[in-house]
Amino acid sequence: MGHPKINTESTLLNNVAIIMDGNGRWAKANKLKITQGHERGVRVVKEIVQECVIQKITSLTIYAFSSENWSRPESEINGIKKLIVKAISDQVPELIEKRVLLNFFGDIESFGANIIKRISDAQNNTYTKDPSLQLNVALGYGGRSDIVNTTKFLAQEFKQGNISLDNINEDLFGKVSEVPNDKIDLVIRTGGDKRLSNFLLFQAAYAEIMFIDKLWPDFTKEDFIACLESFKKVERRFGKRI
Ligand code: IPE
Ligand code: IPE
Ligand code: MG
């Protein structure tokens, strides 16, 4: 809890989040193993991260594994764990070179000592005071439990006399939540389903939401740029009469 939050006011489109869905269906359609679908998914992540740096996006928050995904077969979960380790060791050098600050959030503890250590090293090694992009990876994350945990933490702080009831407001809640960026501008979900699947429930309160039919392994940087272009055309009223 309590990651440093970054300034969200400087440009029009700062904080993008992606629900990367469709790896399983892609693997099936191509007669490949599920894990190969996830592998292809990691390649797409790399391309989209590079594009975020080019587009000067402040933060990209990606949904890599939800709290509900623990109910998948053990073989798939083990495959995903191996891929996380591989993706970190393959991609961290380039992230450092491009000044991409890596941040994992969610119930990381449940992934075991090896992954905890690799994540912590990757976060330390990519740390920079002046990032070109903040890349947040949700692992074992669930929006409802994030809200409950944040509430519990604030209740504890209140009980201990560290904060008063008046201190509890939306800003503080957003800061205490485990999600590094408290205001998401745009959520993209691939794979055709129109739901949030327990992602960023508090932080995406006023996000534009785009549902893309393509499966995640087929999603390209051109598709991503098209999303950014269509975001620019949206009139964000925030309830005002304009
Ligand atoms: C999303 O792809 C990746 C994870 C949930 C880890 P899926 O694996 O959910 O792909 P589909 O929805 O089954 O096609
Ligand atoms: C959402 O996809 C989670 C991730 C992309 C990591 P799921 O495939 O798990 O979501 P549902 O089951 O369609 O809601
Ligand atoms: Mg899915």
Side-chain angles (χ1 to χ4, degrees), residues 26-57:
W26 184 90
K28 208 171 165 195
N30 290 283
K31 299 193 169 47
L32 297 168
K33 294 193 185 107
I34 294 279
T35 314
Q36 289 173 292
H38 293 313
E39 242 171 58
R40 275 300 278 251
V42 173
R43 278 205 237 163
V44 177
V45 171
K46 193 178 156 125
E47 183 173 319
I48 300 306
V49 167
Q50 286 170 351
E51 195 53 37
C52 283
V53 173
I54 292 168
Q55 299 290 335
K56 298 194 165 38
I57 302 287

Coordinates of all heavy atoms in Angstrom, one line a residue, residues 26-57:
W26 N -7.4 -17.4 -28.3 CA -6.4 -17.3 -29.4 C -5.7 -18.6 -29.5 O -5.5 -19.1 -30.6 CB -5.5 -16.1 -29.1 CG -4.5 -15.9 -30.2 CD1 -4.7 -15.1 -31.3 CD2 -3.2 -16.5 -30.4 NE1 -3.6 -15.1 -32.1 CE2 -2.7 -16.0 -31.6 CE3 -2.5 -17.4 -29.6 CZ2 -1.4 -16.3 -32.0 CZ3 -1.2 -17.8 -30.1 CH2 -0.7 -17.3 -31.3
A27 N -5.3 -19.2 -28.4 CA -4.5 -20.4 -28.4 C -5.4 -21.5 -29.0 O -4.9 -22.3 -29.9 CB -4.0 -20.8 -27.0
K28 N -6.6 -21.6 -28.6 CA -7.5 -22.6 -29.1 C -7.7 -22.5 -30.6 O -7.6 -23.5 -31.3 CB -8.9 -22.5 -28.3 CG -9.6 -23.8 -28.2 CD -10.8 -23.7 -27.3 CE -11.7 -24.9 -27.6 NZ -13.0 -24.8 -27.0
A29 N -8.0 -21.3 -31.0 CA -8.2 -21.0 -32.5 C -7.0 -21.4 -33.3 O -7.2 -21.8 -34.5 CB -8.6 -19.5 -32.7
N30 N -5.8 -21.3 -32.7 CA -4.6 -21.6 -33.5 C -4.1 -23.0 -33.1 O -2.9 -23.3 -33.4 CB -3.5 -20.5 -33.2 CG -3.9 -19.2 -33.9 OD1 -3.8 -19.0 -35.1 ND2 -4.4 -18.3 -33.1
K31 N -4.9 -23.8 -32.5 CA -4.5 -25.1 -32.1 C -3.2 -25.2 -31.3 O -2.4 -26.1 -31.5 CB -4.5 -26.1 -33.3 CG -5.8 -26.1 -34.1 CD -5.8 -27.3 -35.1 CE -7.2 -27.5 -35.6 NZ -8.0 -26.4 -36.0
L32 N -3.1 -24.3 -30.4 CA -1.9 -24.2 -29.5 C -2.3 -24.5 -28.1 O -3.5 -24.4 -27.7 CB -1.2 -22.9 -29.7 CG -0.7 -22.5 -31.1 CD1 -0.3 -21.1 -31.2 CD2 0.5 -23.4 -31.5
K33 N -1.3 -24.7 -27.3 CA -1.5 -24.8 -25.8 C -1.8 -23.4 -25.2 O -1.3 -22.4 -25.7 CB -0.3 -25.4 -25.1 CG 0.0 -26.8 -25.6 CD 1.0 -27.4 -24.6 CE 1.5 -28.8 -25.1 NZ 2.8 -28.8 -25.6
I34 N -2.7 -23.4 -24.1 CA -3.1 -22.2 -23.5 C -1.8 -21.3 -23.2 O -1.8 -20.1 -23.4 CB -3.8 -22.5 -22.1 CG1 -5.1 -23.2 -22.4 CG2 -4.0 -21.2 -21.3 CD1 -6.3 -22.3 -22.8
T35 N -0.8 -22.0 -22.6 CA 0.4 -21.2 -22.3 C 1.0 -20.5 -23.4 O 1.6 -19.4 -23.3 CB 1.5 -22.2 -21.6 OG1 0.8 -23.0 -20.7 CG2 2.5 -21.4 -20.9
Q36 N 0.9 -21.1 -24.6 CA 1.4 -20.4 -25.8 C 0.6 -19.2 -26.1 O 1.2 -18.2 -26.6 CB 1.5 -21.4 -27.0 CG 2.5 -22.5 -26.8 CD 2.4 -23.5 -27.9 OE1 1.5 -24.3 -28.0 NE2 3.4 -23.6 -28.8
G37 N -0.6 -19.2 -25.8 CA -1.5 -18.0 -25.9 C -1.0 -16.9 -25.0 O -0.8 -15.7 -25.4
H38 N -0.7 -17.3 -23.8 CA -0.2 -16.3 -22.8 C 1.2 -15.8 -23.3 O 1.5 -14.6 -23.1 CB -0.1 -16.9 -21.4 CG -1.4 -17.2 -20.8 ND1 -2.5 -16.4 -20.8 CD2 -1.9 -18.4 -20.2 CE1 -3.5 -16.9 -20.2 NE2 -3.2 -18.2 -19.8
E39 N 2.0 -16.7 -23.8 CA 3.3 -16.3 -24.3 C 3.2 -15.2 -25.4 O 3.9 -14.2 -25.4 CB 4.0 -17.5 -25.0 CG 5.3 -17.9 -24.3 CD 5.7 -19.3 -24.9 OE1 5.9 -19.4 -26.1 OE2 5.8 -20.2 -24.1
R40 N 2.2 -15.4 -26.3 CA 2.0 -14.4 -27.4 C 1.5 -13.1 -26.8 O 1.8 -12.0 -27.2 CB 0.9 -14.9 -28.4 CG 1.5 -15.8 -29.4 CD 2.5 -15.0 -30.2 NE 2.0 -14.2 -31.3 CZ 2.0 -14.4 -32.6 NH1 2.7 -15.5 -33.0 NH2 1.5 -13.6 -33.4
G41 N 0.7 -13.3 -25.7 CA 0.2 -12.1 -25.0 C 1.3 -11.2 -24.4 O 1.3 -10.0 -24.5
V42 N 2.4 -11.9 -23.9 CA 3.5 -11.1 -23.4 C 4.2 -10.3 -24.5 O 4.6 -9.2 -24.3 CB 4.5 -12.1 -22.7 CG1 5.8 -11.3 -22.2 CG2 3.9 -12.7 -21.5
R43 N 4.3 -10.9 -25.7 CA 4.9 -10.2 -26.8 C 4.2 -8.9 -27.1 O 4.8 -7.8 -27.4 CB 4.9 -11.0 -28.0 CG 6.0 -12.0 -28.1 CD 6.3 -12.4 -29.5 NE 6.2 -13.8 -29.7 CZ 6.1 -14.4 -30.9 NH1 6.0 -13.7 -32.0 NH2 6.1 -15.7 -31.0
V44 N 2.8 -9.0 -27.0 CA 2.0 -7.8 -27.3 C 2.2 -6.7 -26.2 O 2.3 -5.5 -26.5 CB 0.5 -8.2 -27.4 CG1 -0.3 -7.0 -27.6 CG2 0.3 -9.2 -28.6
V45 N 2.4 -7.2 -25.0 CA 2.6 -6.2 -23.9 C 3.9 -5.4 -24.2 O 3.9 -4.2 -24.1 CB 2.8 -6.9 -22.5 CG1 3.3 -6.0 -21.5 CG2 1.5 -7.6 -22.1
K46 N 4.9 -6.1 -24.7 CA 6.2 -5.4 -25.0 C 6.0 -4.3 -26.1 O 6.4 -3.2 -25.9 CB 7.2 -6.5 -25.5 CG 8.6 -6.0 -25.6 CD 9.5 -7.1 -26.1 CE 10.7 -6.5 -26.7 NZ 11.9 -7.0 -26.2
E47 N 5.2 -4.7 -27.1 CA 4.9 -3.7 -28.2 C 4.1 -2.5 -27.7 O 4.4 -1.3 -28.0 CB 4.2 -4.4 -29.3 CG 4.0 -3.5 -30.5 CD 3.4 -4.3 -31.7 OE1 3.8 -5.4 -31.9 OE2 2.5 -3.7 -32.4
I48 N 3.1 -2.8 -26.8 CA 2.3 -1.7 -26.4 C 3.0 -0.8 -25.4 O 2.9 0.4 -25.4 CB 1.0 -2.2 -25.7 CG1 0.2 -3.1 -26.7 CG2 0.1 -1.1 -25.1 CD1 -0.2 -2.3 -28.0
V49 N 3.9 -1.4 -24.6 CA 4.7 -0.6 -23.6 C 5.6 0.4 -24.4 O 5.7 1.6 -24.1 CB 5.6 -1.5 -22.7 CG1 6.6 -0.7 -22.0 CG2 4.7 -2.2 -21.7
Q50 N 6.2 -0.1 -25.5 CA 7.1 0.7 -26.3 C 6.3 1.9 -26.9 O 6.7 3.0 -26.9 CB 7.7 -0.1 -27.5 CG 8.8 -1.0 -27.1 CD 9.2 -2.0 -28.1 OE1 8.6 -2.1 -29.2 NE2 10.3 -2.7 -27.9
E51 N 5.1 1.6 -27.3 CA 4.2 2.6 -27.9 C 3.8 3.6 -26.9 O 3.7 4.8 -27.2 CB 3.0 2.0 -28.6 CG 2.2 2.9 -29.5 CD 3.1 3.5 -30.6 OE1 4.0 2.8 -31.1 OE2 2.8 4.7 -30.9
C52 N 3.5 3.2 -25.6 CA 3.2 4.1 -24.6 C 4.3 5.1 -24.3 O 4.1 6.3 -24.1 CB 2.9 3.4 -23.3 SG 1.3 2.6 -23.3
V53 N 5.6 4.7 -24.4 CA 6.7 5.6 -24.2 C 6.7 6.6 -25.4 O 6.8 7.8 -25.1 CB 8.0 4.8 -24.2 CG1 9.2 5.7 -24.2 CG2 8.1 3.8 -23.0
I54 N 6.5 6.1 -26.6 CA 6.5 7.0 -27.8 C 5.3 8.0 -27.6 O 5.5 9.2 -27.9 CB 6.3 6.2 -29.1 CG1 7.6 5.4 -29.3 CG2 6.0 7.1 -30.3 CD1 7.4 4.3 -30.4
Q55 N 4.2 7.6 -27.2 CA 3.0 8.5 -27.1 C 3.0 9.3 -25.8 O 2.1 10.1 -25.6 CB 1.7 7.6 -27.1 CG 1.5 6.8 -28.3 CD 1.2 7.6 -29.6 OE1 0.7 8.8 -29.4 NE2 1.5 7.1 -30.7
K56 N 4.1 9.2 -25.0 CA 4.2 10.0 -23.8 C 3.0 9.8 -22.8 O 2.5 10.7 -22.2 CB 4.4 11.4 -24.1 CG 5.7 11.7 -24.9 CD 6.1 13.2 -24.9 CE 7.5 13.5 -25.3 NZ 8.0 12.6 -26.4
I57 N 2.6 8.5 -22.7 CA 1.5 8.2 -21.7 C 2.2 8.2 -20.3 O 3.4 7.7 -20.2 CB 1.0 6.8 -22.0 CG1 0.4 6.7 -23.4 CG2 0.0 6.3 -20.9 CD1 -0.9 7.4 -23.7

